[in-house]
Amino acid sequence: MPAPSEASASIRFARPDDAAAILSLITELAEFEHLTHLLVATEETLRAALADDLPRVECLVAEYEGKVVAYAMYFHNFSSFLTQRGLYLEDLYVSPAARRMGVASAMLRKLAAIAVERQCARFEWTVLDWNQSAIDFYENIGATVMPDWRVVRMTGEALTKLAGGPG
Amino acid sequence: MPAPSEASASIRFARPDDAAAILSLITELAEFEHLTHLLVATEETLRAALADDLPRVECLVAEYEGKVVAYAMYFHNFSSFLTQRGLYLEDLYVSPAARRMGVASAMLRKLAAIAVERQCARFEWTVLDWNQSAIDFYENIGATVMPDWRVVRMTGEALTKLAGGPG
């Protein structure tokens, strides 16, 4: 059989009714990755995920003496394997004047509580690999630093160029 | 001055009206990280971001001979430095029968086009550090593998425990 041409495949936005077909592909992917033991998605959870929505970014602030002294900006990410959202912490920052008050820990606990309350499977963020004191702190509260995943990023001209290529 | 007690800081959800205070903290964070040249957020863009919302997960599918043969699941992440959403690709998978048709490339182009159309500053995903052929492919289309960031993840009992601590 000759290789089918690129033009034969059409790309469209998935609908909730695609849940079964997509779950079947997710299962293939999990098999390829030897990760089927982590795959708990069902057609129903995937269907709901494809239909649902949530705010795109949220932010907690901490106030001290009437002033906002810390913020935690976060959003929901999503695991296809779990068909479940997670809570992704983009930034957590405490102003120097408000340090050593336990604000960062209190915000992490609040974020964890939000994650649990919203049935998020994961609470995730990133750390610089040379920031050992942060890594020690995170491991101490039970988080795991994933050794083998790397973030890939495309911006600017490369992104525009890819977007404008023949479709 | 004695260290203020933890109880003096109160944590709440940020409102659009917190934009100025939060931007001031983001600026401090950027200074600490020596990354002020990357900070383009303004009070107005941050205010809008705190008020806006979007679907939580979206999915493209590719159909071939009436069958869904590939999917790309993605959602919007968010950069506090840019106060701009990005497009985060959770999974891109093409069934073996539909490979060598250019489906993956076509889907990446479509995703890049969505990102550009929606004024996303970044198109991001992750790769396993040992997957050199994937890394080569991504670098070839202009993406950058970030060498120093690591994903930190908290799940299960550790998450529940953190959520339930005194707070």
Side-chain angles (χ1 to χ4, degrees):
Chain A
M1 187 177 92
S5 78
E6 187 178 306
S8 336
S10 67
I11 296 173
R12 61 168 172 77
F13 289 93
R15 298 178 296 257
D17 280 352
D18 293 313
I22 295 169
L23 182 62
S24 160
L25 294 175
I26 294 174
T27 306
E28 285 184 38
L29 173 61
E31 281 161 3
F32 168 74
E33 294 178 329
H34 303 291
L35 292 176
T36 51
H37 56 289
L38 299 179
L39 180 57
V40 298
T42 68
E43 189 179 328
E44 288 65 38
T45 59
L46 184 57
R47 181 182 297 271
L50 291 170
D52 203 356
D53 64 18
L54 272 183
R56 98 188 186 207
V57 67
E58 297 177 70
C59 191
L60 289 178
V61 292
E63 285 178 319
Y64 177 64
E65 296 180 344
K67 192 164 173 280
V68 171
V69 294
Y71 75 96
M73 201 170 285
Y74 60 98
F75 52 81
H76 284 288
N77 60 8
F78 186 82
S79 160
S80 60
F81 276 29
L82 307 174
T83 48
Q84 207 171 349
R85 55 187 163 168
L87 194 151
Y88 184 88
L89 178 58
E90 169 73 6
D91 278 343
L92 170 56
Y93 182 73
V94 181
S95 198
R99 295 198 188 148
R100 308 182 69 84
M101 293 168 53
V103 174
S105 295
M107 290 183 105
L108 283 173
R109 286 197 296 276
K110 175 72 175 169
L111 291 163
I114 293 169
V116 168
E117 183 191 314
R118 296 185 186 175
Q119 298 180 293
C120 294
R122 298 170 178 165
F123 178 22
E124 292 173 302
W125 60 94
T126 55
V127 68
L128 288 160
D129 65 346
W130 49 260
N131 193 349
Q132 195 58 48
S133 66
I135 291 171
D136 290 345
F137 174 66
Y138 298 150
E139 290 183 337
N140 193 46
I141 59 172
T144 302
V145 178
M146 315 287 282
D148 48 3
W149 289 99
R150 295 293 176 273
V151 176
V152 184
R153 179 179 292 174
M154 181 178 279
T155 60
E157 225 173 280
L159 180 56
T160 314
K161 193 178 157 199
L162 184 64
Chain B
M1 188 177 92
S5 78
E6 189 178 304
S8 336
S10 68
I11 296 172
R12 62 168 172 78
F13 289 94
R15 299 178 294 256
D17 280 352
D18 293 312
I22 295 168
L23 182 61
S24 159
L25 294 174
I26 294 174
T27 306
E28 284 184 38
L29 173 62
E31 282 160 4
F32 168 75
E33 294 177 330
H34 301 291
L35 291 176
T36 51
H37 56 291
L38 299 179
L39 179 58
V40 299
T42 68
E43 189 180 328
E44 288 65 39
T45 59
L46 184 57
R47 181 183 297 271
L50 291 170
D52 202 358
D53 65 18
L54 272 181
R56 96 186 186 207
V57 68
E58 298 177 69
C59 190
L60 290 177
V61 292
E63 285 178 321
Y64 178 64
E65 293 178 348
K67 193 165 172 280
V68 170
V69 293
Y71 75 96
M73 201 170 285
Y74 60 98
F75 52 82
H76 285 288
N77 59 8
F78 186 82
S79 161
S80 60
F81 275 29
L82 307 174
T83 47
Q84 207 170 349
R85 56 188 163 169
L87 195 150
Y88 184 88
L89 178 58
E90 169 74 7
D91 279 344
L92 171 56
Y93 183 74
V94 181
S95 198
R99 295 197 188 150
R100 310 182 68 84
M101 295 169 53
V103 175
S105 294
M107 290 182 105
L108 282 173
R109 285 198 296 275
K110 175 72 175 166
L111 290 163
I114 293 169
V116 168
E117 183 191 315
R118 295 184 187 178
Q119 299 180 293
C120 294
R122 298 171 177 164
F123 178 22
E124 292 174 300
W125 59 94
T126 56
V127 67
L128 287 160
D129 65 346
W130 48 258
N131 193 349
Q132 194 58 49
S133 66
I135 290 170
D136 291 345
F137 175 67
Y138 299 149
E139 289 182 338
N140 193 46
I141 58 172
T144 303
V145 178
M146 314 288 282
D148 48 2
W149 289 99
R150 297 293 176 272
V151 177
V152 184
R153 180 178 290 175
M154 182 179 278
T155 59
E157 222 173 285
L159 181 56
T160 314
K161 193 177 158 203
L162 185 64

